């Protein structure tokens, strides 16, 4: 299984960080590969909501990366499952409030089919690049 995770501390309360993450329309502000996003189904940030997302794929080509919110614990946990596109990882943001700051752990997991396991290191590298963008998330949220 391909796995990647990263952690950052953001100088904002967990409720504020969670609200920002839960609204998928904020993704282009901190995730460089998001070309466009729209709420496709459900209510923004709520359990079961589906976001239609266009990402930058190999050689700059657009690919779909639609996802559904699978866990919604305000201020604590936001989970998702990618439901469209070539790779369909699960992911989560785990938030831990520490005084006036919030520790955010972003993890991604992808179970590759047997025939695709030769690409495990390439997929893991791509996922590591994605979770590394927490640094940008910190900058954006702290800047207000």
């Amino acid at each position: 299984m391909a796995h990647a995770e990263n952690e950052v501390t953001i100088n904002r309360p967990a409720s504020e960080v969670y609200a920002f993450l839960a609204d998928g329309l904020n993704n282009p502000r901190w995730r460089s590969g998001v070309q466009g996003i729209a709420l496709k189904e459900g209510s923004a940030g709520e359990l079961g909501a589906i976001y239609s997302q266009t990402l930058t794929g190999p050689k700059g080509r657009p690919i779909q990366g639609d996802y559904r919110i699978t866990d919604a614990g305000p201020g604590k946990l936001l989970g998702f499952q990618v439901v469209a596109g070539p790779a369909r990882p699960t992911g989560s943001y785990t938030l831990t409030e520490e005084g006036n700051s919030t520790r955010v752990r972003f993890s991604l997991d992808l179970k590759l089919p047997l025939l695709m396991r030769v690409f495990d290191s390439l997929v893991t590298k791509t996922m590591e690049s994605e979770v590394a963008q927490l640094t940008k998330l910190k900058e954006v949220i702290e800047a207000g």
Side-chain angles (χ1 to χ4, degrees):
M1 176 180 302
H3 173 80
E5 70 179 58
N6 193 16
E7 190 171 281
V8 69
T9 298
I10 300 174
N11 296 316
R12 292 288 185 270
S15 60
E16 185 179 330
V17 175
Y18 181 88
F20 185 90
L21 287 168
D23 184 357
L25 301 180
N26 287 320
N27 287 352
R29 295 179 58 194
W30 69 279
R31 293 180 51 225
S32 62
V34 178
Q35 295 179 359
I37 189 162
L39 180 62
K40 182 177 180 180
E41 197 174 297
S43 298
E46 302 272 327
L47 187 65
I50 297 176
Y51 287 89
S52 176
Q53 184 172 238
T54 303
L55 305 169
T56 302
K59 299 184 181 182
R61 293 188 183 120
I63 59 171
Q64 284 306 113
D66 299 1
Y67 69 92
R68 177 179 60 247
I69 295 178
T70 57
D71 288 298
K76 299 187 184 316
L77 176 68
L78 182 68
F80 63 90
Q81 167 73 54
V82 176
V83 295
R88 300 188 182 192
T90 59
S92 66
Y93 300 96
T94 304
L95 286 66
T96 306
E97 199 156 61
E98 299 174 341
N100 292 327
S101 297
T102 304
R103 186 166 24 98
V104 180
R105 187 181 65 216
F106 180 17
S107 64
L108 288 171
D109 290 293
L110 177 63
K111 186 174 182 180
L112 293 167
L114 187 58
L115 295 174
M116 297 287 291
R117 291 194 185 146
V118 295
F119 298 110
D120 188 82
S121 63
L122 178 62
V123 170
T124 299
K125 190 172 188 173
T126 300
M127 289 169 43
E128 287 172 347
S129 173
E130 184 69 26
V131 298
Q133 294 185 74
L134 278 182
T135 303
K136 180 69 173 175
L137 175 73
K138 175 182 173 68
E139 291 172 13
V140 168
I141 291 178
E142 289 181 356

